[in-house]
Amino acid sequence: MVWFSDADLRRLAGDRSYGRAAGYLDAVGALDELPDGVTAVVYGSEQYRVRLSGRDGRLVGECDCPHGRDGAFCKHCVAVGLVLLAPNAESEPVAPVRRRGRRGPVDVRAALESVDRAELVDLLVELAATHPDVHRRLSLRAATAGEPDLAELRRLVDTLRPRGFVDYSRSFDYARKATDVLDALDVVARRDPGGAGPLYRRVLQHVIRTSEQADDSAGTIGDVADRAVDAYAAACRAEPPDPVGLARWLIDTQLDGPGWPDIDVADFADALGPDGLAAYWRQLTDLAAATADADRFDHRAFVVTHLREGYLRAIAHDPDGLVALYAEDLTEPYQYVRIGQVLRDAGRTEDAVGWLLRGRAEAARPDSRIDELLAEIHTDTGRYGDALDLRWQLFTRSPDVTTHRTL
């Protein structure tokens, strides 16, 4: 039974997407019913997963194609809708009968509530035998019922271990699988954060390695990684692990990883405590010395510098330390701008002006951002003549709308 009309499809998609959908009718795979609608895969240059549902009396379409991810009711949604309508072309659309948020004349919940408990268990076991996602969710539910079975949970976590390249369509399946695991660990963390912590960390390890060999252009695996970091940080705050070991893990994970997710040491500061933070900075200092002669494009050297910067900003709140860090490599003119911004934010405008003037004199090539910041500081401190001179120079070097407006 359908709950929408051809006019609904055209209105939501627009004439262009509606017209293009005609070429995709044969590409619509088998339809599977859901409590509030249907789902299907549309095959083309890629495989796209479509879901049509009825919400509050209106048709809603979702698709993981680029257009659909932007919130549009795309041609793939229209194609699935047209396939649904085809058998009903001779009749008007029938509005669904809704009971407890479900569609159609059959009340699935009421039917299940009437089933004998043993029969219901048999039905679930039978379903799990042919549907891996159902089996996974039931296994996770069993492992977290009562006293959590941490050994079994670890085994289920390890099903996230990377196994070759994950293409675009499979990245969504992997993300859903990881999300199921994280949902189960969240249940454990509420009762035993110390037990959940290492498992979160293991999830993160697998997800990061998988992301290195996956087409995650939709960002679904990256979102799971961010969630795992947040969950692990919360577990560490609730029951701190060995602080020195945690410090080492925070650095090694980013030093040896692909560059994501970005793990903010401030989120782990309470768990690290004084001893952990001291160990964190000490290790970074040793690494900085070891990579001092590396090319500035060297990955490890870049990561170490990034982590030192994060520590000095978020933990030490040390403007002089940041100035010294940026001054280690002044080959890029923008480093002078960064130094000027740090000193300006610290209320040390004269020091900021001194560094910016030095940048104007020493930079290997002119950088308008130095003059921009210097002009802003002159304006803020009432040195309008100096600010005007700089604005005029900026305008004459690059006469456009922006520089004219600021002049």
Side-chain angles (χ1 to χ4, degrees), residues 273-319:
D275 291 343
L277 289 171
Y280 183 88
W281 182 247
R282 187 165 54 249
Q283 185 176 349
L284 284 179
T285 302
D286 291 343
L287 286 167
T291 57
D293 296 329
D295 184 277
R296 62 192 179 95
F297 297 108
D298 179 81
H299 172 72
R300 289 176 66 85
F302 175 83
V303 172
V304 170
T305 299
H306 174 69
L307 296 182
R308 291 166 67 203
E309 180 183 6
Y311 179 90
L312 291 167
R313 281 189 181 278
I315 305 298
H317 306 289
D318 181 2

Side-chain angles (χ1 to χ4, degrees), residues 352-366:
V353 168
W355 270 99
L356 292 168
L357 290 174
R358 176 180 166 183
R360 294 192 84 210
E362 297 180 356
R365 59 185 181 279

Side-chain angles (χ1 to χ4, degrees), residues 4 9 20-32 38-52 63 74-87:
F4 57 89
L9 296 177
R20 296 178 67 188
Y24 285 84
L25 298 185
D26 292 338
V28 176
L31 297 168
D32 289 311
V38 297
T39 184
V41 173
V42 179
Y43 298 90
S45 56
E46 300 277 354
Q47 294 181 20
Y48 297 118
R49 193 180 302 274
V50 172
R51 175 172 180 159
L52 298 184
C63 180
C74 66
K75 61 190 177 186
H76 306 110
C77 291
V78 177
V80 173
L82 290 174
V83 168
L84 272 176
L85 286 173

Side-chain angles (χ1 to χ4, degrees), residues 173-207:
D173 296 329
Y174 183 87
R176 276 188 287 270
K177 184 176 181 180
T179 297
D180 287 343
V181 172
L182 289 174
D183 287 344
L185 295 185
D186 288 348
V187 174
V188 176
R190 288 194 284 271
R191 291 175 287 177
D192 181 13
L199 295 175
Y200 281 128
R201 203 157 105 172
R202 199 168 182 85
V203 168
L204 192 57
Q205 171 189 329
H206 293 327
V207 171

Side-chain angles (χ1 to χ4, degrees), residues 104-171:
V106 177
D107 191 331
V108 176
R109 178 179 288 274
L112 290 175
E113 288 175 346
S114 68
V115 174
D116 175 75
R117 179 186 179 91
E119 185 181 350
L120 187 59
V121 169
D122 289 342
L123 177 62
L124 283 172
V125 171
E126 179 183 342
L127 189 63
T130 55
H131 292 77
D133 55 335
V134 176
H135 177 70
R136 177 178 65 251
R137 295 180 69 177
L138 291 177
S139 298
L140 289 165
R141 183 71 176 266
T144 55
E147 187 69 24
D149 186 340
L150 297 182
E152 174 63 7
L153 283 169
R154 178 177 172 130
R155 186 188 69 78
L156 292 167
V157 164
D158 284 343
T159 64
L160 299 176
R161 192 187 305 276
R163 306 283 183 188
F165 180 72
V166 178
D167 63 24
Y168 178 82
S169 61
R170 289 174 56 226
S171 69

